Amino acid sequence: MIFVMGSWLPRSPGAPQVGQKAPDFTLTDSNNKPVTLAQLLTEPIDDKPPKGVLLTFYRGYWLGSCHSELRSIEKNLNKFNEAGIRPVDHR
């Protein structure tokens, strides 16, 4: 439902389009240190450069769908690593 409703919102003219490289940004990691998208895309995964980043915005364990999705990502970390995708959780 949220995804459908989100598609009804007007698009920002400055937003990246599908297939376009995302602009660099900075977030705080779980150790409260700043990390940039550029850093996430250059730090190797199993000695190989990453192919992409999966950014999740976790709102809390009390919201069942968010909690369930995050647990699913955790269970499949090996598959993400094998595909060269770095999951990042922003709380």
Side-chain angles (χ1 to χ4, degrees), residues 1-44:
M1 181 70 109
I2 293 172
F3 297 113
V4 172
M5 292 173 63
S7 68
W8 297 339
L9 297 172
R11 293 189 175 19
S12 169
Q17 301 300 309
V18 173
Q20 181 181 358
K21 186 175 179 178
D24 199 25
F25 55 82
T26 303
L27 296 173
T28 304
D29 70 11
S30 58
N31 296 315
N32 213 23
K33 294 183 179 182
V35 62
T36 67
L37 176 60
Q39 289 173 307
L40 295 169
L41 289 171
T42 56
E43 293 175 4

Side-chain angles (χ1 to χ4, degrees), residues 28-30 54-59 70 87-91:
T28 304
D29 70 11
S30 58
L54 171 65
L55 181 61
T56 62
F57 292 89
Y58 184 65
R59 293 295 172 229
L70 190 59
V88 178
D89 172 30
H90 180 67
R91 295 174 190 218

Side-chain angles (χ1 to χ4, degrees), residues 38-89:
Q39 289 173 307
L40 295 169
L41 289 171
T42 56
E43 293 175 4
I45 300 173
D46 296 332
D47 297 322
K48 298 178 206 164
K51 295 179 182 176
V53 172
L54 171 65
L55 181 61
T56 62
F57 292 89
Y58 184 65
R59 293 295 172 229
Y61 64 88
W62 60 89
L63 187 56
S65 59
C66 288
H67 186 69
S68 175
E69 187 164 344
L70 190 59
R71 296 298 146 246
S72 177
I73 291 170
E74 280 183 338
K75 287 178 186 175
N76 291 290
L77 281 178
N78 287 339
K79 291 179 184 177
F80 283 106
N81 287 339
E82 289 170 6
I85 305 298
R86 181 183 310 283
V88 178
D89 172 30

